[in-house]
Amino acid sequence: MVSVVLLICTLLLVPNVRAIPSCVIPNTTVCNIDYRVPASIALIAAVFESEIQSSFNSDINQGNSLACSQSLKDVRCARSFPRCSDNFTTVTVTSLDCEQRLGCATTDSRQRLNAEGFCSLKEKTVPLQGCKPATQYGYAFNKCDIGSDVRVTEWMIELLRYEDTYLSSTNVLGAGGFLSTNYPSCSSSYAQYHCSKAGQCDPKGALGVNYTRSQCQQALNCYPAMFSLNVCDAWPNTAIFDVISENSDNGTGNATTTASPSPSSSLATASPSPSSSLAMHSDSMIISGEKSNTHSIGLIVLLLICALQ
């Protein structure tokens, strides 16, 4: 019993003990996601779903059958929401059986999607954690402006590689592409928007989102047809890191998460929205309502016990 108390005391008193980034079931309406994904992905689930719904509508309008459009939507959903393992140690990125599913599309749609690298993301299982500079993964990005100081996990790199392939196509930002030709001044903000969806790590290794609503709005103002008008509302007001589940077992919850703002960010930030579904916390201490009071009392009691040891 004494050893257990001492262990608890050590965890409480040793500095820099941080909450483990969790996996949670995201709140989705467009995609049927009933498994856990990295919490930093769940945080901006509405961003992915807005794009997926827009692509689904486009597939229908381009003459693809409902069943085929649904099949292509499933690929986009699987790609956007990588799956965490049951023990929260690995993440699997996948595009399902993309090449086979793409065979149902019309010739025009199939050519366009192939040109955009629709099936370029291959299935791969990698660690959930483990941040290092993006430049150390050996991938030369063409359109994603990844600085040498940006740290990411391996699963983030896989998502970034897909976004970079998409952006580099002639349909988008490649040489002669529609956007690069007609809206050259918007190319950088458009690329930043897409490349930020993968997330990144803060200097201490916490996973999160380093892109804000105000940055999204600036991109939208530059090129209004870039994406749906309400997609910016799905981004947080400020960079958010160390996203964890409210549940103490680090994984049984849904996407109602807690998060701490980045202590220092080069991004333009704004005050957190009071209506946000997220509660802000410092390190792993939740400070929302009665739960905060309960945790505070418990912490005080444990610290008193530690002092008596």
Side-chain angles (χ1 to χ4, degrees), residues 196-238:
S196 295
K197 292 184 294 183
Q200 67 182 69
C201 309
D202 76 356
K204 294 183 178 180
L207 312 186
V209 176
N210 203 23
Y211 188 81
T212 65
R213 189 174 303 171
S214 62
Q215 289 176 295
C216 177
Q217 192 60 54
Q218 290 172 13
L220 183 64
N221 290 341
C222 182
Y223 177 43
M226 186 186 304
F227 32 66
S228 63
L229 295 177
N230 62 352
V231 71
C232 292
D233 293 338
W235 288 96
N237 273 339
T238 184

Side-chain angles (χ1 to χ4, degrees), residues 242-299:
D242 205 9
V243 183
I244 65 168
S245 167
E246 285 187 341
N247 297 275
S248 60
D249 68 352
N250 189 41
T252 59
N254 57 23
T256 303
T257 59
T258 61
S260 63
S262 171
S264 61
S265 173
S266 60
L267 300 179
T269 60
S271 301
S273 169
S275 61
S276 173
S277 62
L278 299 176
M280 311 303 288
H281 77 87
S282 174
D283 289 332
S284 60
M285 285 300 295
I286 300 173
I287 54 173
S288 56
E290 296 178 359
K291 186 171 291 187
S292 172
N293 295 333
T294 301
H295 286 185
S296 298
I297 294 173
L299 178 60

Side-chain angles (χ1 to χ4, degrees), residues 124-180:
K124 190 174 184 180
T125 299
V126 297
L128 168 64
Q129 301 178 65
C131 302
K132 64 181 183 180
T135 52
Q136 292 185 12
Y137 288 95
Y139 182 78
F141 291 97
N142 294 315
K143 299 301 179 181
C144 288
D145 186 12
I146 309 297
S148 59
D149 59 333
V150 174
R151 296 168 59 84
V152 293
T153 64
E154 191 171 355
W155 61 265
M156 290 177 180
I157 278 289
E158 294 303 316
L159 298 183
L160 279 168
R161 291 180 65 175
Y162 166 75
E163 294 294 347
D164 195 63
T165 300
Y166 164 74
L167 291 169
S168 299
S169 73
T170 54
N171 290 352
V172 191
L173 296 181
F178 173 78
L179 195 73
S180 55

Side-chain angles (χ1 to χ4, degrees), residues 54-98:
S54 177
S55 295
F56 175 79
N57 295 341
S58 178
D59 289 338
I60 292 290
N61 292 335
Q62 291 175 12
N64 295 287
S65 68
L66 178 61
C68 183
S69 299
Q70 179 63 52
S71 184
L72 298 179
K73 187 186 82 170
D74 290 342
V75 171
R76 295 185 177 99
C77 290
R79 182 174 59 220
S80 300
F81 296 98
R83 181 189 294 265
C84 289
S85 61
D86 291 340
N87 60 358
F88 316 115
T89 59
T90 63
V91 176
T92 298
V93 296
T94 184
S95 289
L96 303 179
D97 50 340
C98 184

